[in-house]
Amino acid sequence: MSERTIVHLMRHGEVHNPEGVLYGRLPEYFLSDLGHEMAKRAADHLSKHEIVHLVSSPLERAQQTVEPLRVLLDAPVTTDERVIEADNLFEGRTVGAEPKALAHPKNWWKLRNPLRPSWGEPYKVIAQRMQAAVADAREAARGHEAVIVSHQLPVWIARQAYEGNSFVHDPRKRQCTLASITSLTFDGDEYVGHTYAEPAADLLPDALKGKFVGGA
């Protein structure tokens, strides 16, 4: 008899980033006060589920996001490098509120192939590492539920991989807001569908007002 297992992919909360840096994998980018509140909202939402396994990206913003849930569940957190933010050649650039600054002629060679993409880690590589991490989390929580705290692009690509969709997309149309939860359901090892929730939806207008989001 197959067992139903759910792996929740949670995006981290808002990061304090007043300079508008594309922070990517850079260290020392921490949650803002609003980001901490988002993490608490997500933790309250997930605490109602039968969660037995917690995983987080090694980056500080993800570790801080998983902390309220760790406290509520009194459970250890496994740090997994495979769910880290996508690598990006524009990391560390300050683009403020105008991401089009990245399209300066001197950067055109980095933008030559949006299908791969040429400016960063290939989508296929992100999908492979995320699916491997999800498989391990599913095994650890078999018959129950697990949570992986990651970043926008890895979460989105993982969802597209399981749904069998193209990885090529408009970043502005990703359904993966701050502190959102993409829940993947499995029957045994077979993927059967997903749900999506935004426990901190009412906080998003304040988080996005006039700001450049410097990392996924």
Side-chain angles (χ1 to χ4, degrees):
M1 181 177 177
S2 296
E3 293 178 299
R4 179 176 178 270
T5 306
I6 299 176
V7 179
H8 304 279
L9 303 181
M10 188 200 321
R11 185 185 173 192
H12 62 79
E14 185 197 48
V15 174
H16 179 68
N17 182 25
E19 292 81 18
V21 173
L22 186 67
Y23 42 75
R25 295 181 177 180
L26 294 175
E28 298 187 7
Y29 277 89
F30 304 99
L31 294 185
S32 64
D33 290 343
L34 189 63
H36 282 289
E37 180 59 31
M38 290 177 170
K40 291 176 184 176
R41 296 282 185 90
D44 288 342
H45 175 86
L46 288 169
S47 67
K48 303 176 179 65
H49 292 256
E50 193 180 357
I51 294 165
V52 298
H53 186 61
L54 298 178
V55 178
S56 175
S57 158
L59 296 176
E60 292 96 337
R61 58 191 186 270
Q63 296 281 329
Q64 288 181 312
T65 298
V66 78
E67 180 62 12
L69 186 59
R70 184 198 68 78
V71 172
L72 280 175
L73 300 180
D74 190 23
V77 176
T78 298
T79 297
D80 192 336
E81 292 278 351
R82 295 173 297 182
V83 302
I84 198 170
E85 174 65 286
D87 195 19
N88 193 310
L89 294 177
F90 291 113
E91 183 177 277
R93 293 285 300 275
T94 302
V95 296
E98 184 48 80
K100 290 182 181 178
L102 297 178
H104 188 280
K106 69 180 180 180
N107 293 319
W108 284 353
W109 72 275
K110 299 176 184 176
L111 303 170
R112 65 191 181 279
N113 183 4
L115 305 182
R116 187 178 184 267
S118 53
W119 58 82
E121 186 178 9
Y123 293 138
K124 288 183 179 179
V125 174
I126 299 172
Q128 290 167 356
R129 62 177 171 86
M130 286 296 292
Q131 286 185 296
V134 168
D136 284 352
R138 183 182 69 233
E139 184 61 33
R142 190 169 291 275
H144 304 281
E145 302 180 36
V147 173
I148 298 176
V149 180
S150 185
H151 309 268
Q152 188 190 65
L153 181 55
V155 170
W156 179 250
I157 290 298
R159 172 174 160 179
Q160 300 315 298
Y162 282 107
E163 289 288 304
N165 297 330
S166 171
F167 296 148
V168 181
H169 65 285
D170 181 342
R172 297 168 297 181
K173 296 182 179 180
R174 295 172 189 159
Q175 188 184 41
C176 188
T177 60
L178 293 163
S180 62
I181 300 167
T182 300
S183 302
L184 310 175
T185 299
F186 298 87
D187 182 13
D189 293 337
E190 182 182 358
Y191 172 72
V192 296
H194 77 277
T195 60
Y196 176 77
E198 296 181 349
D202 60 311
L203 301 178
L204 292 174
D206 289 334
L208 300 176
K209 191 182 302 179
K211 295 180 181 178
F212 168 71
V213 179

